[in-house]
Amino acid sequence: MGTQAAGPLVVGVDSSTQSAKALVVDAATGQVVARGQAPHVVGGGTGPGGAGKESDPEQWWQALGEALRQCGDAARQAAAVSVAGQQHGLVTLDASGRPVRPALLWNDVRSAPQQRRLLEEFGGPQAWARRVGSVPQPAFTVTKWAWLRETEPAAADATAAVRLPHDYLTERLTGEAVTDRGDASGTGWWSPADETYDEEILRHVGLDPKTLPRVARPGEAAGTVRSGELPLPQGALVAAGTGDNMAAALGLGLRPGRPVLSLGTSGTVYAVSDRRPPGDPTGTVAGFADARGDWLPLACTLNCTLAVDRVAALLGLEREEVEPGGSVVMLPFLDGERTPALPHASGLLHGLRHDTTRGQVLQAAYDGAAFALLQALGRIVGEDLPADVPLLLIGGGARGRAWRDTVRRLSGRPVVVPEAAELVALGAAAQAAGLLLGEDPAAVARRWGTARGTEYAAVPCDTAARERLAETLSAGGALLGA
């Protein structure tokens, strides 16, 4: 285990699209004493253009076990554990608790037709935003359930329980059907006004409320470890867990108003708010709850680091081989897009000239991916955020010079890249530590110093590039599937 731990040990889990990560953390100091990681396999399902994205939930459980085994004896000494997971996924279980079919993941956009129909049937975007805090996108669980009922009715009929990815793992650990308000707020069937399920919406989509887990209050335990399949001590406390974005906010110990850009498979921007967001009828900003009792207005893009890396590969370049200059514009919406809402879009390249270089095209891909996030950030924090407030840049992309420089150039703001990595798993660990110690988990993370990092100074905002991107997006129209 290395250095002797000062306090009790806790386990934080990040069950993401691509892998399961487990950290064993000293609850007193935040020191990571052991870590493990095991991959997930994502299948394509059926659907045109790679629209389907599925995983076997049993595989998540096996990967979690492998990640914990890599942690060695430290995991067996943990006093508490919390699981954070990818949001929005639809896990359907039969009466014996086994998956009816592979889980539909957040980036599965086959439910776009059902999403459009649900918006119309239930009063339009404004009515949805008022009821559930967000305008459901094809990523949301409610649209995936509607898709399943329509396209695979036998699977829907066989479903006795509906879970989110983190709920599934928490239930395997504890035997208890529990979720939390943060992850529940991304389903499209949870009401932020009453902090309970919206039974009228559930009736409309043909889902029995009894199939859903109870929503634990912030700071409430889901149960204790009952499963003997994993290398965790029987009886260890299990926190309610949460969605990955809510866990990252906990992991940073965010206070209200501090903006975050997360650059990963998807891109997200968010800031904690102590006031419930009014609901954005455009659907750009989701009015999520956080894991503490506050709110987490958030916008998400489907195309971020993987899309830019794919463009680099097509150009035969390494991901950092960008070049400045030129006027080429790229909207790298390779898998459809969620922000802006263009589920059928493909990538768009505009403004090529004889003197355009490959490096400039790659830089344009970075610009297009960052632009969508920064546009959404403006809707989250408004116009009142002082210009010297840094953006916290997290996720795999934050480690890349090209990503950092692009965000600085297009935002005109300083950027801070926290030294702490694996913030989702750290946030889950902070939640477990908060439960164990009776503390606010965000305060635990602040005590651990997780947001400390390198600051990169502001540079002048490249307004010309932003204007070119805005004009191309506006004029793209039919080419983008709008």
Side-chain angles (χ1 to χ4, degrees), residues 36-79:
Q37 180 171 351
H40 293 160
V41 176
V42 177
T46 58
K53 296 289 188 295
E54 302 180 347
S55 282
D56 178 4
E58 176 64 33
Q59 172 202 189
W60 301 336
W61 179 251
Q62 298 300 328
L64 173 57
E66 173 57 27
L68 288 168
R69 280 187 284 277
Q70 291 173 21
C71 294
D73 288 341
R76 296 181 180 87
Q77 299 175 33

Side-chain angles (χ1 to χ4, degrees), residues 389-472:
V389 172
L391 303 177
L392 279 172
L393 206 62
I394 65 172
R399 308 290 166 182
R401 174 186 54 81
W403 275 111
R404 293 194 302 267
D405 289 351
T406 299
V407 170
R408 291 163 66 213
R409 182 172 55 81
L410 292 184
S411 71
R413 291 184 178 277
V415 160
V416 171
V417 179
E419 293 172 11
E422 300 159 320
L423 282 163
V424 173
L426 267 180
Q431 189 186 50
L435 175 66
L436 184 66
L437 303 174
E439 294 185 46
D440 172 1
V444 170
R446 288 193 291 270
R447 188 175 74 237
W448 292 351
T450 53
R452 287 194 298 264
T454 305
E455 180 164 342
Y456 299 85
V459 298
C461 183
D462 188 345
T463 54
R466 290 192 67 145
E467 287 170 2
R468 287 195 300 271
L469 281 155
E471 290 167 2
T472 303

